Every structure is written in structure tokens, then in C-alpha cells.
Amino acid sequence: MSPRFRTDRAALDGRERLLESRSLTPPAPPCDVLEDDDPVRPFFLTRGRTRTDQDIAFETIVSATDAGRSASPRLAFELADITRLASEPVSVAEISAAMKIPITVARVLCGDLITAGYLDRSIPLVAPTDDVELIKRLIDGVRSL
Amino acid sequence: MKIVVAGGFGVGKTTMVGAISEIPPLTTEAAMTSLGAEIDDRGDVTTKTTTTVAMDFGRVTIDRSIILYIFGTPGQDRFGFMWDDLITGALGAIVLVDTRRIDDCFPAVDYFEHRDLPFVVAVNRFDGRLAHELDDIREALDLSPEVPIVTTDARAKDAVKDTVLVLLDQALARAMVRSRAPGR
């Protein structure tokens, strides 16, 4: 907290506030600490949201719907890019790599596009970890690589 | 479907991903937000930090409906929300170990044990040699008996394939137990 700010508050709120302000612990830095020199915060594109209501994982495959394809020219840059990339089925992870945006950000944006009806999840959301037949097929597939 | 390859910095995770992937490994970064006061590596106390961690991944198309993604990610001390996201829906994890720096993989082993995720410890043979016996490594890591420990060569497709198969057998065994469990 700067001395100027403390004085202003004291002037406004009187002596009690002044005493209180002295006992305040130093405030947190005014912004997040970024470990690199990137001037843009990772979650800028998502207006600060780090989660999505849509149940999507990094490996979830998405594809553009007809509505998404026709809306694409009107969408914001990143959203338009995603719908273009998803003209063929593509994973959230691959979108993130292609657009050089953090995977967590890509997921939020994909969630928005699914909510808007512009993207579809190509793969139904069964719990793959409990699916014996699916894992057996995977094992056979890996064996024959 | 996905599996995760974890381990210390420079242990060969990206090499391992690349050995089995049908595409050259792609790199993405994950922004991790950690809330709450903590002391970071520089000794500074921060209340909220956003850090980015590079993550490489590869892809194996099994058939029209099954694509296996392999995520390689640093086994560092600061496991943020990203890690929980990463293992959600994962079949399991491979913890890649460099015997010259066994302790680098402690955080990953701890993490997977506590998340009840099937995992395999794979000891990377650099130059074909193994600095410690597998039993010694098992003891050093205090692994429970059901966790397999194997040797691998992160550069060799067949060795990596075998390691993945050991993990998938674990995943299958778990799925079978769950599907037999009452109420499911």
C-alpha cells in the first residue's frame, strides 16, 4: 500500500481508520505473478474464466456443426479459428497446440462454442476407465502397432 | 482415451511420447492457477500465481472410434488444478524414472497413489545400462506390491509399446473389478 493511499483513507475515515490501516498486512501484489514476459494473461481470452460448464477433457474430440461453420466469419478471431480447425474432428489438445494458446484456455473456448451450438463433441462421454470392452480393443490395437 | 507420462525434467518423457505417437509430439502449454499463499522456488511469498507448464502430447489412432492420446508432463512439486484435469478420465500413468535422479519422480508417485490411478513405474535405460536393480528402486520408491515396475527404452517404439501394454493391463484389471462390483 502506498503512503499516499494510506493518507487519503485516513483523511476520509479519521483516526480509527488510520490505526486500522497501519495494522493491515501489506497488500497482495496488484496483479498475478507471471513467470515469463508474456504481456497477455493466459485467461485474457476467456475473460478470466478458467473453467467451463461443459464436461470436456483435453483429449475430447470436437467438430464444427453446420451452425458453427456458417457463424465462423462472424465470430471473434480465436473462436473463428477454432471452428475452422474443427471442420475435421480434432481434440482440444490439438487446437491448443495449433493456436498456441494454453490448453486450459482452449477448453473454456471450446466449452463456449459447444454451449452456443457451434461445436459438437464427436465422442460420447462414457467413462472410458470403466469400459472393459473398449480397453480390450485398445490393448489389441496397441499390440498391433 | 488418454494416458499420462510423468517424471522429472529431462528424463525422456517427450522422447517416449514421440516413440509411440503417429505424429511428432505437439507442444501445448497449460496455464495453472494456484490459489492461496505459498512460497515459490525463489523464496517469494505469493498469494496467487499463474504459471505455465509446457506439455507435450502424441496421438495413436487405434480405429475409427478409439484415439489414444499420450500426455507427457513434468512431475514437479507444484501440481495445480491442471493435473487433476489431466488425470480425469485417464486410463493410467507411466512414471518414467532416471536412475541417476530417482527422487525426481517422488512427487508423481505420491500424486498417483493418492488419486488411486493405475500407474506403472518405467525405468529408462540410458545407454542400455541400469544403475540400480529394479528391486532396489521399488524399495527406494516404497512402491506397493501391485504397482508394476519395468525397464524401458524411451527411444524404442517396441519397448514403449510394452510399457504401455503393462499399464493398459492394469487399467483393464481395474475396469473388470469395477464392472463386477455391486451396484454398477
Side-chain angles (χ1 to χ4, degrees):
Chain A
M1 189 180 293
S2 71
R4 184 168 57 82
F5 180 62
R6 193 188 298 162
T7 310
D8 289 348
R9 266 179 70 167
L12 283 171
D13 299 328
R15 187 167 168 270
E16 273 181 21
R17 181 64 86 166
L18 177 65
L19 289 173
E20 187 192 326
S21 75
R22 278 180 179 154
S23 69
L24 291 174
T25 49
C31 59
D32 297 351
V33 177
L34 288 177
E35 294 210 336
D36 55 21
D37 296 329
D38 191 346
V40 179
R41 287 167 199 291
F43 290 102
F44 173 77
L45 291 175
T46 65
R47 283 169 281 132
R49 291 165 304 142
T50 60
R51 318 296 303 178
T52 166
D53 293 339
Q54 295 290 341
D55 188 10
I56 35 181
F58 297 160
E59 71 278 13
T60 296
I61 311 276
V62 295
S63 54
T65 59
D66 290 341
R69 265 188 280 271
S70 49
S72 183
R74 303 191 304 273
L75 296 175
F77 298 120
E78 297 78 19
L79 300 178
D81 285 348
I82 292 176
T83 48
R84 265 195 297 277
L85 282 169
S87 59
E88 298 288 321
V90 64
S91 66
V92 175
E94 283 158 297
I95 288 172
S96 147
M99 292 178 57
K100 298 191 181 357
I101 56 175
I103 196 163
T104 33
V105 172
R107 186 175 52 173
V108 176
L109 297 179
C110 287
D112 289 351
L113 288 166
I114 290 171
T115 304
Y118 294 156
L119 284 186
D120 257 347
R121 270 183 287 252
S122 303
I123 289 181
L125 280 169
V126 293
T129 50
D130 291 354
D131 193 329
V132 172
E133 288 314 309
L134 200 61
I135 296 172
K136 281 181 177 167
R137 274 167 61 202
L138 178 60
I139 288 173
D140 287 344
V142 170
R143 229 177 240 142
S144 62
L145 285 178
Chain B
M1 309 183 86
K2 77 182 153 189
I3 59 175
V4 174
V5 179
F9 183 76
V11 67
K13 297 180 298 289
T14 306
T15 308
M16 186 175 223
V17 170
I20 195 166
S21 174
E22 67 199 16
I23 52 168
L26 296 171
T27 302
T28 179
E29 53 176 42
M32 294 196 306
T33 314
S34 352
L35 296 171
E38 61 178 49
I39 298 172
D40 68 16
D41 298 340
R42 295 166 308 195
D44 300 331
V45 178
T46 56
T47 50
K48 181 168 184 262
T49 54
T50 303
T51 56
T52 54
V53 177
M55 188 160 71
D56 296 316
F57 65 95
R59 188 183 70 198
V60 179
T61 304
I62 302 296
D63 59 34
R64 282 173 58 89
S65 63
I66 302 181
I67 300 176
L68 178 67
Y69 283 91
I70 306 124
F71 287 90
T73 188
Q76 54 182 358
D77 294 329
R78 199 189 284 171
F79 292 96
F81 300 134
M82 189 273 289
W83 265 84
D84 293 339
D85 287 340
L86 193 56
I87 67 157
T88 302
L91 291 167
I94 295 168
V95 178
L96 194 57
V97 178
D98 178 347
T99 52
R100 295 164 299 186
R101 289 169 295 167
I102 289 179
D103 52 340
D104 281 3
C105 73
F106 287 171
V109 169
D110 277 349
Y111 182 85
F112 296 132
E113 274 175 348
H114 286 101
R115 293 303 188 288
D116 200 26
L117 187 77
F119 71 99
V120 172
V121 172
V123 182
N124 199 9
R125 279 181 214 254
F126 283 92
D127 311 321
R129 285 179 296 115
L130 207 56
H132 301 271
E133 294 301 319
L134 289 185
D135 285 346
D136 295 341
I137 298 169
R138 176 182 287 283
E139 198 178 333
L141 293 178
D142 195 19
L143 287 183
S144 45
E146 68 270 18
V147 176
I149 179 165
V150 298
T151 58
T152 193
D153 181 343
R155 299 161 301 186
K157 182 178 180 181
D158 283 342
V160 173
K161 225 174 84 175
D162 288 346
T163 307
V164 170
L165 286 170
V166 171
L167 175 63
L168 292 180
D169 278 344
Q170 293 287 106
L172 178 63
R174 152 150 335 187
M176 290 174 86
V177 168
R178 286 191 180 178
S179 63
R180 271 191 238 112
R184 294 194 66 113

